[in-house]
Amino acid sequence: MSFKHTLPYEWLVGLRYTRAGKRSGRNRFISFISLISVAGISLGVAALIVVLSVMNGFQKEVTDRMLSVLAHVEIFDVRGAMPDWRAVGREAARNPAVAASAPFVEVQGMLLRDGVMKPVLVRGVIPGQEAKVSDVARQMKQGRFDALRPGTMNIVLGRALADALHVGVGERVTMLLGAAGTTESGAPAAPRTRNFVVSGIFEAGHYEFDSMLGFVQIDDAIQAAGLVGPLGLRLRLHDLHRAPQVAAELRRDLAGDYVVRDWSQVNTIWFAAVQSQKRMMFIILTLIIAVAAFNLVSTLVMTVKDKQADIAILRTLGASPRSVMKIFMVQGTLVGVLGSLLGVVLGVAVALNVDVIVPAIEHAFGIQFLSKEIYLISEIPSDVRWVDVGAIGGVAVLLAFLSTLYPSWAAARVKPAEALRYE
């Protein structure tokens, strides 16, 4: 038994109407409009897949680069210092999700070199401990991260910051740190200055960190800032996606007055903005698919007008109005399915090869789509998520199906006698 013989006749007639007609100019025009509808749906689906994949890739790439420097969880002592950080670290390690901990100090200041002054966030660390909670030691481009030893007053700078200061390994920079309080005359106290030697340069691939972050040995940072101990602990987890849950558990379990925050809270505004942009882009590009899908309305209305005699004959042979509706719903839905499939194939192919296509376009036209000073990264990433692909294809087919309802209903209302009167 052939495949055609297993299908209801409504499907067979709908399939026949979907094929390009060659009997008349009117049929060819209707078929041309159908092809335009298929192409519109395909381009809309492909555009939505590519845009969402790029936005997913952008979010994943920036998040990975951020977390190569940021801790998964940070613990702060409300007293302003945590001299007993080792005991707190052991207490935090009782949570099975915690892989490692490291103390830290963060001080904001300015770096001065040959008249060039740049802001800097100085992070005081113990190199051996810091290597367990971040990837900075593996991101070194020049020098060694373990050169940060107590009393050496060495500093490791981000590549963009070192380039801005025109400084290299072995050269000196002056750090200016704000001083609290006032002088005897009531004037603000002069900032403290410390000289550091650049012992290394790292590159995290995230412009914000590469242009503003520096590392020094924690004892040197405490001495330079006039502190009494580390400000807190940085934790690395086995699963970074459990950070909010683990942070909540540590707030509950730690014996003391501590502030605990996870990595998603450090950049809340950025993550919220990305999610909002993804939702808006999905809505906007779905409207493009909707416009293409609703082109099916005009196509099917023209088809119904052209096939009124066929509809009348089917009705006289015993076809019910419901069966006539099914014929045109099958035709329109098949156009939507075909357009969605072509769009999915095209969109996935482009999304998987963005790293090749975009550089080729940039090279051909001499342009740059992303400036790392603005967008944090300079290459367009892509992360194809099949859940998104399925959702986009499903929405396209659904919109195409909805577009068939009115023309199909109009076809079911055709009266055989009136339709055959002028044939």
Side-chain angles (χ1 to χ4, degrees):
M1 181 180 294
S2 67
F3 175 71
K4 285 186 176 182
H5 291 161
T6 65
L7 291 175
Y9 76 89
E10 295 95 342
W11 281 79
L12 296 176
V13 177
L15 286 169
R16 181 179 179 85
Y17 285 172
T18 304
R19 294 201 301 266
K22 299 182 180 179
R23 293 178 297 173
S24 67
R26 182 178 178 85
N27 278 337
R28 285 194 292 270
F29 179 72
I30 294 173
S31 299
F32 174 75
I33 298 298
S34 298
L35 291 176
I36 293 297
S37 299
V38 171
I41 295 173
S42 299
L43 291 177
V45 169
L48 187 49
I49 290 174
V50 172
V51 169
L52 288 186
S53 296
V54 169
M55 295 190 74
N56 290 335
F58 183 85
Q59 182 180 8
K60 181 177 183 297
E61 189 73 16
V62 173
T63 301
D64 289 345
R65 296 187 184 190
M66 291 168 75
L67 292 179
S68 70
V69 177
L70 295 176
H72 294 168
V73 175
E74 293 178 331
I75 304 175
F76 298 91
D77 195 314
V78 296
R79 296 172 296 179
M82 189 185 288
D84 56 343
W85 62 269
R86 290 182 177 84
V88 178
R90 287 192 295 270
E91 191 174 357
R94 295 174 185 170
N95 191 307
V98 176
S101 64
F104 75 102
V105 170
E106 284 188 349
V107 182
Q108 292 184 336
M110 302 292 290
L111 288 182
L112 177 64
R113 165 77 178 181
D114 293 338
V116 179
M117 184 177 293
K118 293 293 180 180
V120 64
L121 177 64
V122 179
R123 182 176 295 166
V125 299
I126 299 175
Q129 294 291 113
E130 181 66 17
K132 299 177 182 179
V133 299
S134 76
D135 298 330
V136 177
R138 293 185 288 275
Q139 295 169 341
M140 296 294 294
K141 300 301 179 181
Q142 298 179 37
R144 295 175 59 86
F145 193 67
D146 56 12
L148 300 178
R149 294 185 293 273
T152 58
M153 303 303 284
N154 287 340
I155 188 170
V156 171
L157 299 178
R159 180 184 287 278
L161 180 57
D163 291 342
L165 293 169
H166 306 292
V167 66
V169 173
E171 298 181 316
R172 292 182 176 273
V173 293
T174 300
M175 184 183 301
L176 283 71
L177 300 172
T182 60
T183 62
E184 295 180 358
S185 63
R192 297 187 299 272
T193 61
R194 293 288 188 276
N195 291 322
F196 285 86
V197 177
V198 178
S199 62
I201 295 174
F202 75 93
E203 184 173 19
H206 190 293
Y207 185 76
E208 180 180 351
F209 297 135
D210 291 340
S211 64
M212 292 190 63
L213 189 59
F215 290 88
V216 300
Q217 210 281 336
I218 194 168
D219 294 336
D220 294 345
I222 292 172
Q223 178 187 357
L227 301 174
V228 297
L231 296 180
L233 279 177
R234 289 157 45 82
L235 306 182
R236 173 69 61 139
L237 307 182
H238 294 293
D239 182 2
L240 64 91
H241 299 292
R242 292 193 59 213
Q245 176 186 344
V246 174
E249 293 172 356
L250 292 174
R251 291 190 199 99
R252 183 192 62 214
D253 298 337
L254 289 178
D257 200 359
Y258 300 107
V259 175
V260 183
R261 67 180 185 181
D262 62 87
W263 61 268
S264 64
Q265 294 173 302
V266 177
N267 292 275
T268 304
I269 296 177
W270 185 84
F271 285 109
V274 170
Q275 290 301 118
S276 177
Q277 290 172 0
K278 285 176 63 177
R279 286 192 291 268
M280 291 305 300
M281 291 304 299
F282 186 91
I283 293 172
I284 292 171
L285 293 177
T286 298
L287 292 177
I288 296 176
I289 300 175
V291 170
F294 289 136
N295 282 338
L296 288 173
V297 176
S298 59
T299 302
L300 291 176
V301 167
M302 294 174 63
T303 303
V304 170
K305 291 293 184 183
D306 187 58
K307 303 295 185 182
Q308 284 196 3
D310 294 358
I311 295 171
I313 294 172
L314 287 172
R315 291 296 306 277
T316 59
L317 291 175
S320 66
R322 185 174 181 178
S323 296
V324 173
M325 281 192 67
K326 285 183 181 180
I327 290 172
F328 292 96
M329 290 173 68
V330 166
Q331 180 185 357
T333 304
L334 286 174
V335 170
V337 170
L338 178 60
S340 299
L341 289 176
L342 292 176
V344 166
V345 172
L346 177 61
V348 170
V350 173
L352 292 176
N353 293 279
V354 163
D355 57 337
V356 176
I357 296 172
V358 172
I361 296 175
E362 290 179 335
H363 178 74
F365 294 96
I367 58 176
Q368 184 179 15
F369 289 111
L370 292 182
S371 172
K372 64 181 179 181
E373 287 82 0
I374 300 174
Y375 297 101
L376 308 178
I377 58 178
S378 59
E379 298 177 354
I380 296 182
S382 178
D383 179 21
V384 179
R385 298 181 183 176
W386 297 109
V387 173
D388 290 344
V389 173
I392 294 167
V395 167
V397 173
L398 176 62
L399 290 174
F401 172 77
L402 294 176
S403 300
T404 68
L405 296 181
Y406 171 74
S408 301
W409 176 78
R413 288 173 57 86
V414 170
K415 297 180 179 179
E418 294 182 4
L420 293 173
R421 181 177 301 170
Y422 302 103
E423 291 296 325

